[in-house]
Amino acid sequence: MLYYLTEETKYATCGADILFTYINALKQMKVHKDGAMNSGWMFPTDHLYEARVIGAQLPIIYDFIYPYLASGGQVYDLASAKLTNFDFTTAQGVIGTYVWLALNKGLLDSNWPVLESSSLVHNILALDDKQQIKKFIPYYTHINTKNQASLKKVAEHFVNQGDIWPESFQYSRHVAGFTVYLMTLLDRYDPSLKLGATYPNIPGAFTSYYNLEYPNDESPFIGDGHRTYKIDYADLENSLLLAKLNNNKQQEQYFTSYLSSSIKNGLYDRGHLHSRSYGASPYFTPLQLLWSVNKIQSETDIDVTPERPRSLRLEFAGMNIQRNISKINPVKNSLMAFVAGGSYIHGHASGMDMELYGQGHVLGVDGGKGTYRTDIHENYYRLFAAHNTVISNGASASKNGWINLGINRVQSELMEPAAGDVGVSPNHSFSTSSFYDEYNLVAPAQHERTLALIKLDDTKGYYLDIFRAKSDFQNQYHDYVYHNIGDQLTITSNNQMVDLVADHDRYQASAKLAWITTGQRGYRHPGWHFFDDVKTKSHATEQFEATFTASKLGDKSISMRALIPAGLNIDISHVNAPKAYGGTAPYNSKPLPTFLLRHQGEAWDNPYVVAYESITEGENYAVQNVERILANGIFKGVKVGVKLNGKLLTQYILVQENSEDRYQSQKLGINFKGRFAVITLDDQQHPTEMYLGAGSYLHYNQHKLTAKPGSNSAYIAY
């Protein structure tokens, strides 16, 4: 590239010597054409790696120094220690072989074809025969092989505006970035292809990741993901160029304005080359010098950190995201949570997972990922026990799908506000999700989770988690699992420490299951044999308070308290789980405090109920107590006692299984038909708010709230 920029021969001789040495080495090695699915050449068992670190690089060197070689420039031969003529025939053979490997090796239904496509396209364009180039380009643009997906097939995952590639987020981002690069490369090579015009939703994916993030700009942890991601401005520069090449004025204006605003705000500096990646990735860095527009100017400044939507649905991950953003110190005081679970590449057998945000941090965390192919990664981090979920019959498991981690996708039953909507209430939102634990090793189980965000004012709020579980297994039991970062977990009842008894054997049965590493066909479900220091109190029906305290997140300690109301016979256990890679440092390197609730029998008519509230040291909890509301033994919701700014409030949060269900209480003055509602009363028992999240009507004494026409929600503040 320096030769191209300066036309100084010394750079050409350096590049030519490197190229010639590699080609001579490769021609002496066996091409493993008859080997396994991922067999290669210099890396006999890993074409996926070789395609990125060698296959994608050699044709770039060849293209840039071709004028020197074609004019008779010689190369240094290591064997003879002399200058010699370049062997074009052998070089073309190497290039053709890498085209063959990309088309005939690899895994079709994954991100592999995209990761291998840079090698495929680079080597096609380095062929000396123009007819051969014309022949092979369609194998990237629209012709699939049994081992290599075309751009057309990749684009099937980007049908709607805002779609992202269906894998955990870092793989998803790479797919979009590599694909936009290759679309830009080919549209520059042959403008008649118009790939950017055909598939505009692929660069459009870069606008979606921001909306998935927490108020502190961290990402939800799903599958083999990470907590934080840097914006790759090189991808945005390519997206801008692609828009220009295809006369996409809308995207051109957006990416120009975004980059311009990022520069003005000091977030992006075009005066320095992006960092070189030395991992398994093609070498894209010089494109800043070769492709990028000279100057980015926009008359329109845009907010590059706009307010994120209150709710979102990410279908492939079975994810419902809910937010309630505070106007006062939003990073600290906002609420955000998600419920998710699904089967996808690099996904986990998580069941119906949940994360909770508070005080500027993700506190209720997913376990994350470990080191691939290790025991703890495959038999803990990828399985149910590493997630905030419910395990049924001690045997929730996966089957089929990606590396036998297939589970049913979590379904969205109800959500208010609906994905992308504003919502009827500034203070309330909820989602109801369902999951069928079909591959349970004992008997299938049905799960349903209602998660509500209840905002009390601009600094206070809490989450209410209601989890139903049932199975046809005669001796069914269900374990509610919750992990939270912290230095310690204390479990109390009525302000007294609960007497927990050592219980080493409780979760150890899964350690005896077979771990079949060949083809990753068998795991030690549900993975909870990695729990340590297990202590339990059995057969309890009283209210419990489980308080997690983290003293190393800043100058003041941060606590998350879980209030577990009385009225369900449970065993409560305190364990230390393996460290959570998704936890805020230093808690990503410490054992993760965790509690479990076990109920023998179904937990459907009377489900698990937990109210979660976080505070910073020096603050007081607003939620004082939580009581179950039952009618003929059927759960109808909770009564929550709140103390806010010295004033006592009462909230009735009503939750029913079906939209036609009714709850009437003359004593309480409540008449409700529907699935979810909230009544907030002051200390005189006068309503201050009524929220109909999903239902037909909500009455409190003489106060009546009816769903709007064409809707099943409504809200009123008094």
Side-chain angles (χ1 to χ4, degrees):
M1 293 180 185
L2 283 170
Y3 170 60
Y4 172 79
L5 293 170
T6 67
E7 298 183 352
E8 294 185 34
T9 303
K10 62 181 180 181
Y11 296 121
T13 59
C14 178
D17 291 348
I18 293 170
L19 176 67
F20 186 68
T21 301
Y22 264 89
I23 287 172
N24 274 340
L26 284 165
K27 75 178 184 180
Q28 299 175 61
M29 297 178 184
K30 178 183 177 182
V31 182
H32 296 269
K33 289 190 173 184
D34 298 326
M37 171 267 294
N38 194 29
S39 59
W41 194 353
M42 186 173 286
F43 292 82
T45 62
D46 200 346
H47 173 258
L48 177 65
Y49 182 79
E50 183 171 353
R52 289 173 281 172
V53 300
I54 299 176
Q57 320 298 1
L58 294 184
I60 296 293
I61 301 173
Y62 182 71
D63 268 356
F64 273 96
I65 63 171
Y66 184 83
Y68 166 77
L69 297 174
S71 65
Q74 291 191 305
V75 291
Y76 182 77
D77 179 40
L78 281 174
S80 65
K82 295 179 181 179
L83 291 176
T84 186
N85 292 328
F86 185 76
D87 187 345
F88 284 95
T89 301
T90 300
Q92 285 292 294
V94 168
I95 288 167
T97 298
Y98 275 121
V99 172
W100 188 93
L101 285 168
L103 293 176
N104 293 280
K105 297 296 177 180
L107 185 65
L108 185 65
D109 294 318
S110 70
N111 65 347
W112 283 27
V114 177
L115 300 180
E116 294 169 335
S117 287
S118 292
S119 179
L120 174 63
V121 174
H122 291 176
N123 282 286
I124 289 173
L125 295 182
L127 292 167
D128 289 343
D129 186 337
K130 299 297 183 184
Q131 291 303 311
Q132 287 292 98
I133 295 175
K134 186 176 180 179
K135 171 187 173 181
F136 281 110
I137 282 180
Y139 283 94
Y140 176 71
T141 59
H142 61 277
I143 298 176
N144 305 312
T145 72
K146 66 178 182 179
N147 298 95
Q148 181 66 16
S150 67
L151 172 61
K152 183 179 179 180
K153 182 174 177 63
V154 169
E156 292 174 0
H157 294 288
F158 298 88
V159 174
N160 303 304
Q161 186 175 357
D163 283 349
I164 66 173
W165 180 261
E167 296 194 26
S168 52
F169 293 152
Q170 84 276 27
Y171 296 100
S172 179
R173 288 167 179 261
H174 289 159
V175 166
F178 285 6
T179 304
V180 166
Y181 158 70
L182 290 172
M183 290 164 65
T184 307
L185 173 64
L186 285 172
D187 276 349
R188 285 171 57 88
Y189 173 78
D190 182 357
S192 69
L193 290 172
K194 294 198 173 297
L195 300 179
T198 307
Y199 306 115
N201 287 338
I202 298 179
F206 294 124
T207 66
S208 297
Y209 297 105
Y210 172 82
N211 284 335
L212 299 171
E213 293 173 343
Y214 287 102
N216 65 354
D217 299 329
E218 294 182 343
S219 294
F221 219 121
I222 61 168
D224 290 338
H226 296 291
R227 183 64 78 193
T228 59
Y229 301 93
K230 293 182 179 179
I231 297 174
D232 193 332
Y233 289 101
D235 289 339
L236 303 185
E237 294 261 13
N238 284 343
S239 297
L240 171 58
L241 181 59
L242 187 63
K244 284 179 173 289
L245 291 171
N246 288 274
N247 198 32
N248 186 330
K249 296 298 183 183
Q250 182 178 0
Q251 285 194 349
E252 181 181 346
Q253 180 180 359
Y254 173 79
F255 286 114
T256 298
S257 298
Y258 188 94
L259 289 166
S260 174
S261 299
S262 298
I263 293 167
K264 290 178 182 178
N265 287 304
L267 302 174
Y268 176 38
D269 182 2
R270 296 184 94 220
H272 295 85
L273 280 175
H274 300 137
S275 298
R276 167 85 190 259
S277 170
Y278 291 92
S281 175
Y283 181 40
F284 298 142
T285 304
L287 292 178
Q288 284 178 271
L289 303 175
L290 302 176
W291 287 8
S292 296
V293 296
N294 289 338
K295 194 169 186 178
I296 293 177
Q297 290 180 307
S298 175
E299 297 179 358
T300 305
D301 287 336
I302 65 172
D303 185 358
V304 295
T305 57
E307 184 172 320
R308 298 175 173 102
R310 284 192 64 183
S311 60
L312 280 174
R313 172 72 177 172
L314 190 61
E315 189 61 37
F316 79 84
M319 174 182 278
N320 285 338
I321 288 176
Q322 299 175 82
R323 296 184 182 87
N324 199 313
I325 303 300
S326 174
K327 293 182 175 61
I328 299 175
N329 195 352
V331 171
K332 175 184 180 297
N333 294 323
S334 296
L335 301 174
M336 176 174 160
F338 77 74
V339 173
S343 183
Y344 49 92
I345 306 297
H346 284 285
H348 289 179
S350 64
M352 195 152 43
D353 191 13
M354 173 186 75
E355 282 195 331
L356 300 179
Y357 179 87
Q359 311 303 308
H361 302 276
V362 185
L363 299 177
V365 294
D366 178 277
K369 76 177 184 72
T371 301
Y372 291 164
R373 299 183 181 88
T374 60
D375 181 10
I376 193 169
H377 177 66
E378 296 204 355
N379 292 309
Y380 175 72
Y381 286 111
R382 280 181 170 168
L383 305 186
F384 280 71
H387 304 82
N388 295 325
T389 188
V390 161
I391 296 168
S392 291
N393 309 316
S396 294
S398 62
K399 186 178 181 181
N400 302 323
W402 180 68
I403 60 172
N404 215 32
L405 287 171
I407 60 172
N408 286 305
R409 183 179 298 170
V410 170
Q411 301 297 312
S412 180
E413 303 295 333
L414 291 167
M415 185 159 59
E416 202 294 312
D421 286 355
V422 175
V424 297
S425 166
N427 296 329
H428 314 89
S429 64
F430 84 102
S431 67
T432 297
S433 307
S434 64
F435 169 69
Y436 184 43
D437 185 13
E438 181 177 4
Y439 306 119
N440 191 289
L441 299 178
V442 172
Q446 184 66 50
H447 295 172
E448 182 182 274
R449 185 170 221 159
T450 295
L451 181 63
L453 277 61
I454 307 297
K455 182 180 179 181
L456 299 171
D457 64 15
D458 269 328
T459 63
K460 293 289 185 181
Y462 63 97
Y463 304 96
L464 182 67
D465 186 31
I466 298 165
F467 205 121
R468 303 177 190 267
K470 62 182 178 182
S471 171
D472 290 334
F473 182 50
Q474 183 177 2
N475 298 315
Q476 66 177 300
Y477 64 96
H478 307 275
D479 286 80
Y480 177 101
V481 186
Y482 179 74
H483 314 71
N484 199 100
I485 61 173
D487 303 293
Q488 62 179 352
L489 164 62
T490 59
I491 299 177
T492 60
S493 180
N494 296 318
N495 298 317
Q496 300 293 319
M497 293 293 294
V498 173
D499 186 16
L500 300 171
V501 178
D503 193 9
H504 174 75
D505 295 331
R506 175 169 284 253
Y507 305 112
Q508 291 303 305
S510 59
K512 300 175 184 177
L513 297 178
W515 176 26
I516 305 173
T517 58
T518 304
Q520 294 172 299
R521 291 183 293 112
Y523 302 100
R524 291 171 176 151
H525 291 291
W528 54 12
H529 56 285
F530 283 95
F531 290 163
D532 192 24
D533 195 22
V534 179
K535 300 175 182 177
T536 300
K537 178 178 175 59
S538 301
H539 308 302
T541 58
E542 64 264 35
Q543 174 173 300
F544 292 101
E545 304 88 32
T547 304
F548 301 85
T549 303
S551 61
K552 298 178 177 64
L553 294 175
D555 295 336
K556 296 181 179 181
S557 296
I558 289 174
S559 297
M560 173 73 91
R561 185 174 70 171
L563 286 182
I564 305 156
L568 180 67
N569 192 312
I570 57 172
D571 300 347
I572 183 167
S573 296
H574 174 306
V575 310
N576 286 326
K579 62 185 179 183
Y581 287 88
T584 303
Y587 297 103
N588 55 357
S589 60
K590 294 173 173 286
L592 186 64
T594 300
F595 73 78
L596 294 90
L597 311 175
R598 174 175 294 181
H599 177 67
Q600 297 285 342
E602 58 86 12
W604 194 272
D605 290 341
N606 190 14
Y608 295 106
V609 179
V610 186
Y612 295 93
E613 183 185 6
S614 66
I615 62 169
T616 297
E617 183 181 354
E619 300 173 347
N620 296 315
Y621 291 108
V623 178
Q624 303 297 298
N625 53 73
V626 182
E627 301 174 21
R628 294 173 184 268
I629 301 173
L630 300 174
N632 299 319
I634 304 298
F635 179 81
K636 293 294 181 177
V638 292
K639 176 184 178 182
V640 181
V642 172
K643 188 174 184 180
L644 186 66
N645 299 322
K647 297 181 179 179
L648 297 177
L649 302 175
T650 301
Q651 291 190 310
Y652 291 100
I653 302 177
L654 307 174
V655 182
Q656 301 189 111
E657 186 178 351
N658 300 298
S659 59
E660 297 300 313
D661 288 351
R662 291 182 59 183
Y663 172 64
Q664 290 179 285
S665 171
Q666 290 185 345
K667 178 181 178 181
L668 299 177
I670 295 174
N671 185 5
F672 168 53
K673 180 181 178 182
R675 298 287 299 272
F676 189 90
V678 180
I679 301 170
T680 303
L681 307 177
D682 63 18
D683 57 356
Q684 301 299 313
Q685 298 300 292
H686 297 146
T688 62
E689 291 178 304
M690 293 175 64
Y691 168 64
L692 185 61
S696 301
Y697 57 79
L698 175 64
H699 298 170
Y700 177 73
N701 293 330
Q702 74 275 20
H703 302 278
K704 298 182 179 181
L705 186 62
T706 304
K708 298 177 181 179
S711 171
N712 63 352
S713 59
Y715 171 76
I716 187 170
Y718 296 91

